[in-house]
């Protein structure tokens, strides 16, 4: 795979040795030309030169996020979304590809996530969509309320413990939970924009956002964490009783002293760009425009 002159946009990883991602050419981005290309990295292939595969599809929209599912008895499906409801789907085994748009999405989508092999997309106006099948999405978010006025509202991230137990976070520190078919707004301890959310196996929810804000909650009880940071926090993920956070340029770890720079990098090789974290079976991935790192067995190592 050609490395120079390309930027990672987003990705996801079902396993430590399998990554799906979207990239764009740096020179086109500099000229405000929007084009996303889609790739897969499969470390199980014995030939290192063949581990990266490009799907024969380039779209004229910027991928906002990617999610992958493999329901029991079905083959894997990977879905990327664009901000205006565009989607690209691929079945990696059959290489069957499709492109379209979420029919009723007239609002800006900001994120996509898979929860127990169900895919959700969310965005501005507190919109939330569930993917029911190829090209079929249903909107079920809490939406606008009569008291919102001219406030800018919307979700930047969504995660969940189960498809019927979700948490969405976003602008002005809003936190919403979905349970028993109903959305409920949780009293948030902050009005700072929240950019990411992660639901841990023990029922704890972690969310991070602008100006170093981090909040932790269970149920309707949430509190602000003194992170000791001032930069924007872009991603958060838990793994093996540890919590990791990404800024644009570094990976941090939650400790009793707040968020501190992660030090466990193979051969001292640290990423120069971060921006996103995503869970995978047995570890984590960290992706920035120029870097892709994997965390397993207590150490971070570079893939790209």
């Amino acid at each position: 795979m050609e490395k120079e002159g390309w930027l990672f946009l987003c990705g996801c990883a079902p396993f430590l040795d399998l990554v799906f991602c979207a990239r764009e050419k740096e020179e086109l981005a500099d000229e405000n030309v929007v084009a996303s290309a889609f790739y897969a990295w499969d470390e199980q292939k014995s030939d290192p030169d063949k581990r990266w595969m490009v799907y024969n599809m380039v779209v004229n929209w910027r991928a906002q996020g990617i999610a992958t599912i493999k329901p029991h008895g079905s083959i894997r499906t990977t879905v990327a979304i664009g901000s205006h409801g565009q989607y690209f789907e691929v079945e990696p085994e059959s290489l069957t590809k499709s492109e379209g748009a979420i029919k009723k999405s007239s609002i800006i989508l900001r994120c996509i996530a898979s929860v127990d092999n169900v895919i959700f997309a969310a965005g501005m106006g507190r919109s939330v969509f569930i993917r029911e099948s190829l090209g079929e999405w249903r909107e079920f978010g809490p939406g606008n309320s009569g008291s919102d006025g001219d406030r800018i509202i919307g979700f930047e991230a969504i995660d969940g413990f189960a498809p019927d137990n979700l948490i969405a976070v976003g602008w002005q520190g809003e936190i919403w939970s979905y349970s028993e078919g109903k959305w409920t707004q949780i009293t948030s301890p902050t009005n700072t924009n929240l950019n990411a959310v992660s639901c841990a196996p023990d029922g704890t929810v972690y969310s991070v956002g602008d100006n170093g804000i981090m909040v932790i909650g269970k149920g309707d009880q949430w509190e602000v964490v003194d992170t000791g940071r001032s930069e924007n926090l872009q991603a958060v993920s838990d793994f093996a009783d540890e919590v990791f956070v990404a800024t644009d340029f570094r990976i941090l770890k939650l400790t009793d002293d707040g968020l501190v720079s992660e030090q466990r990098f193979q051969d001292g090789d640290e990423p120069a760009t971060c921006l996103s974290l995503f869970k995978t079976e047995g570890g984590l991935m960290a992706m920035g425009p120029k870097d892709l790192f994997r965390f397993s067995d207590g150490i971070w190592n570079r893939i790209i």
Side-chain angles (χ1 to χ4, degrees), residues 6-200:
W6 286 85
L7 303 171
F8 285 111
L9 293 172
C10 53
C12 67
F15 307 107
L16 285 169
D17 56 9
L18 181 61
V19 178
F20 301 102
C21 64
R23 298 199 306 166
E24 66 178 357
K25 261 191 171 299
E26 195 167 6
E27 64 180 10
L28 293 181
D30 290 342
E31 297 171 1
N32 293 318
V33 177
V34 178
S36 301
F38 302 97
Y39 296 77
W41 177 75
D42 187 352
E43 194 180 32
Q44 292 192 17
K45 293 184 178 180
S46 57
D47 186 348
D49 293 333
K50 295 182 179 180
R51 289 175 180 171
W52 281 101
M53 180 183 68
V54 58
Y55 295 111
N56 187 24
M57 176 74 75
V58 177
V59 299
N60 62 351
W61 43 269
R62 182 168 284 111
Q64 296 290 314
I66 299 179
T68 188
I69 57 173
K70 191 180 185 303
H72 181 70
S74 300
I75 64 175
R76 180 169 300 283
T77 298
T78 301
V79 183
I81 61 161
S83 59
H84 293 285
Q86 309 97 324
Y87 66 79
F88 165 71
E89 294 201 13
V90 61
E91 295 176 354
E93 294 180 21
S94 66
L95 295 181
T96 301
K97 300 180 287 290
S98 61
E99 183 187 2
I102 300 174
K103 294 179 181 178
K104 295 183 179 180
S105 178
S106 59
I107 47 178
I108 302 297
L109 294 182
R110 299 291 297 152
C111 60
I112 188 171
S114 61
V115 179
D116 286 352
N117 286 311
V118 179
I119 290 179
F120 300 91
M124 302 309 293
R126 302 194 193 103
S127 59
V128 182
F129 291 82
I130 181 173
R131 178 189 177 275
E132 298 184 318
S133 61
L134 174 61
E136 297 296 327
W137 297 73
R138 175 173 55 87
E139 209 284 330
F140 71 107
N144 297 307
S145 70
S147 60
D148 289 326
D150 295 329
R151 291 194 310 130
I152 298 176
I153 57 171
F155 294 142
E156 289 289 315
I158 189 168
D159 195 14
F161 300 100
D164 59 353
N165 187 0
L166 306 172
I167 296 288
V169 302
W171 286 62
Q172 301 185 55
E174 286 197 357
I175 305 168
W176 289 73
S177 68
Y178 178 79
S179 180
E180 299 181 352
K182 182 177 68 173
W183 285 99
T184 302
Q185 185 170 10
I186 294 172
T187 300
S188 176
T190 182
N191 59 5
T192 302
N193 290 351
L194 297 173
N195 301 322
V197 64
S198 180
C199 295

Side-chain angles (χ1 to χ4, degrees), residues 248-263:
D248 292 86
F249 306 109
R250 61 178 56 88
I251 300 171
L252 309 172
K253 184 177 69 171
L254 182 62
T255 70
D256 292 339
D257 296 321
L259 291 174
V260 300
S261 294
E262 175 64 292
Q263 302 294 327

Side-chain angles (χ1 to χ4, degrees), residues 280-297:
T280 182
E281 187 174 300
L284 293 175
M285 295 286 180
M287 178 179 285
K290 292 286 190 177
D291 302 271
L292 177 60
F293 273 68
R294 170 175 58 189
F295 181 75
S296 62
D297 298 325

